[in-house]
Amino acid sequence: MRIDILTILPELLKGPFSASILKRAQDKGLVEICIHNIRDYATNKHKNVDDYQYGGGAGMVMSIEPIVNLIEELKSQREYDEVIFMTPDGGLLEQNTCNELSLKKNIIILCGHYKGIDERIRENFITKEISIGSYVLSGGEIAAAVLADAVIRLLPGVLNNETSALTDSFQDNLLSPPVYTRPPEYRGWKVPEVLLSGNFPEIEKWREQEALKRTKARRPDLLDD
Ligand code: ADE
């Protein structure tokens, strides 16, 4: 899979992809992450990437030209399955969308800034608009990193069997059950007996019950589906 991220702040995106699972996924050749600076595609003298909004009003708007130049250059090199815009007014990111995106070959993720992007980019180039939550971030970069992380960890070979994404919360509309590690007792706080029993059918049953209990208490909406 190849993910192209379009941003005016490339330095914000270096960190999340340069350690741990996301770095290993790239080192193993399972995903290629290409970060592009939109400013490099501005043709005006001062390399401006934003402008005042028509009709007046506070806040700058990201200009159409540099973004279109960049998207069209990428599209001339390969076909893209999706051109995604990270925005608080997009559809809320859920595990289903991550699962779907993990099956794609090439995707573009555009990070917004300021008051937004010229609407004509949305109308003519964007295929999906995604929000990572009902709050406003100062830009789309952190949201893009969240989306990329949630997708990349689903790619075959990225996680090993023990950390398999199939046992993640949300994959079966249930939150994960509690987990424990050594010691079996700490300050009098004990690990549930069943987990120490070696009785795997019983352990499995306990985990299912706890997952259901936790989901009912914290996210009953997941059980409505
Ligand atoms: N950009 C700013 N806030 C955002 C959000 N909540 N989700 C996605 N992109 C954003």
Side-chain angles (χ1 to χ4, degrees), residues 136-156:
V136 180
L137 302 165
S138 30
E141 284 74 13
I142 292 170
V146 167
L147 174 64
D149 181 307
V151 170
I152 293 167
R153 61 196 301 287
L154 300 173
L155 300 177

Side-chain angles (χ1 to χ4, degrees), residues 86-88 130-140 143:
M86 302 311 298
T87 174
I130 295 180
S131 162
I132 63 159
S134 306
Y135 41 80
V136 180
L137 302 165
S138 30

